[in-house]
Amino acid sequence: MRKRPEPSIKNSMVKSITFLVLLPLSAALLVLCVLMQRSVSLGIMEAYQLMFDQNVREINSAVLQSTYASSTMITYTENNQLLKDYYDAATPYQKDIASKRLREMLLNCNVTNLGSFGGEMILLTSDGHLISSDKIVEVPGSLYEEEWYKKMEAGGRNPYWDPDICRLFDRSGTGAYVAFGRALVRYQENQYGYALVLFPDELFVGEGNDPRYRKGAIALFSSDGRILAGENQKFSNKTMADLLEQWDASGGRQGRYGDYYVMGAVLASSQNRILYVGNRH
């Protein structure tokens, strides 16, 4: 019977190096790669969150400014007197003078308070006129039958948000906008009509095109779940609405939802919600 040859020293050393050095090193490198990938992913998510939080702060600031501007129509004695003079005018001449002063006041407000983000405020008066910084026009009676008007009327002094309000502004063909309307009421006095405030969509959803976001989508939703700005971007309205519902149900958790990465925030200046949706990171 032939004797089985003993393994050579060289083969023994190769096996030893393979099992004792190379395999553990390969495993360690694999674990390191996984940890590094996870660390990079977490870093990206943290960076996205910081950018998103900054966007929300800017949006809150703009909405707070607009809410303040519309409130001054009533809370500022001078502005309140301008409204009284308009409604108390006994002759067409007095009405013309009063409306001119209101237009001047609106121009100053738009430049001082709303100009930084491209906003605009106009007045819908109780006698059926629209007053902007440059003109006064009569509105059709059918306006009062529109759904958005009825809901704005029911909301009283609370801002009611609806894209259909934008049609009352002279901004045709210049981009997408969203607006809110609120009643002008001082304590128990008569209502002086409505303040309507316009915002460019870009303020709310423009950051979604930032390459740092990997071209995700941002949408503005009302407190009752209507999409106000950011319709049909990278994702369908239904997808965005479904993800908002999931985000709400989770208590506002930021993170992965199926195939998507979601960040959201309830605006401090209203109960509207901002939602960012991107592909999983």
Side-chain angles (χ1 to χ4, degrees), residues 9 22 65 110 137 157 207:
I9 296 176
L22 295 181
Q65 282 180 264
N110 290 338
V137 297
R157 285 181 290 186
E207 294 297 336

Side-chain angles (χ1 to χ4, degrees), residues 6-218:
E6 295 183 5
S8 67
I9 296 176
K10 182 179 179 179
N11 289 338
S12 297
M13 289 182 65
V14 169
K15 291 180 180 179
S16 297
I17 292 173
T18 300
F19 287 104
L20 299 179
V21 178
L22 295 181
L23 287 180
L25 181 60
S26 298
L29 288 174
L30 180 61
V31 171
L32 181 61
C33 287
V34 172
L35 291 176
M36 287 180 65
Q37 186 177 20
R38 184 175 298 176
S39 177
V40 169
S41 180
L42 288 173
I44 291 174
M45 288 187 287
E46 288 175 0
Y48 276 35
Q49 188 65 57
L50 288 173
M51 288 190 295
F52 183 75
D53 290 345
Q54 176 61 30
N55 294 342
V56 170
R57 284 192 291 270
E58 293 171 359
I59 292 168
N60 269 324
S61 175
V63 177
L64 282 170
Q65 282 180 264
S66 67
T67 304
Y68 166 78
S70 59
S71 295
T72 62
M73 294 299 305
I74 291 297
T75 58
Y76 276 28
T77 302
E78 181 180 351
N79 292 348
N80 193 50
Q81 187 60 51
L82 290 176
L83 287 168
K84 285 186 176 182
D85 291 345
Y86 173 82
Y87 287 109
D88 292 343
T91 67
Y93 175 75
Q94 291 176 338
K95 198 82 160 182
D96 184 62
I97 294 298
S99 62
K100 180 180 179 181
R101 289 174 176 168
L102 281 173
R103 294 198 304 270
E104 291 172 348
M105 181 270 297
L106 286 170
L107 177 61
N108 179 67
C109 176
N110 290 338
V111 172
T112 304
N113 297 313
L114 310 179
S116 62
F117 56 88
E120 181 185 358
M121 181 167 69
I122 62 176
L123 303 178
L124 176 59
T125 65
S126 297
D127 63 355
H129 290 85
L130 273 178
I131 303 178
S132 67
S133 60
D134 60 353
K135 62 184 176 182
I136 176 171
V137 297
E138 191 172 354
V139 298
S142 58
L143 179 144
Y144 305 106
E145 299 303 317
E146 295 191 28
E147 190 67 22
W148 68 264
Y149 180 85
K150 294 177 180 179
K151 290 185 177 180
M152 179 180 71
E153 185 179 38
R157 285 181 290 186
N158 296 319
Y160 175 72
W161 292 73
D162 199 301
D164 285 342
I165 298 174
C166 301
R167 292 187 286 104
L168 301 181
F169 291 80
D170 190 14
R171 295 289 186 99
S172 59
T174 59
Y177 296 89
V178 65
F180 74 67
R182 60 186 306 208
L184 296 173
V185 183
R186 182 181 175 92
Y187 308 121
Q188 300 301 317
E189 296 182 7
N190 293 331
Q191 182 172 312
Y192 292 142
Y194 297 89
L196 311 177
V197 182
L198 183 81
F199 303 81
D201 267 24
E202 189 76 10
L203 171 68
F204 302 99
V205 304
E207 294 297 336
N209 296 319
D210 190 321
R212 294 174 299 174
Y213 274 132
R214 294 188 180 178
K215 297 183 179 180
I218 297 178

Side-chain angles (χ1 to χ4, degrees), residues 189-263:
E189 296 182 7
N190 293 331
Q191 182 172 312
Y192 292 142
Y194 297 89
L196 311 177
V197 182
L198 183 81
F199 303 81
D201 267 24
E202 189 76 10
L203 171 68
F204 302 99
V205 304
E207 294 297 336
N209 296 319
D210 190 321
R212 294 174 299 174
Y213 274 132
R214 294 188 180 178
K215 297 183 179 180
I218 297 178
L220 172 69
F221 287 88
S222 66
S223 57
D224 58 357
R226 292 173 295 116
I227 189 165
L228 301 173
E231 290 189 285
N232 295 315
Q233 298 181 80
K234 187 174 181 180
F235 308 106
S236 69
N237 289 353
K238 184 179 186 308
T239 295
M240 298 292 283
D242 289 346
L243 290 169
L244 175 69
E245 186 176 341
Q246 294 177 44
W247 183 80
D248 280 337
S250 73
R253 177 181 62 83
Q254 321 285 51
R256 295 185 177 92
Y257 290 76
D259 293 331
Y260 305 98
Y261 184 80
V262 176
M263 294 183 291

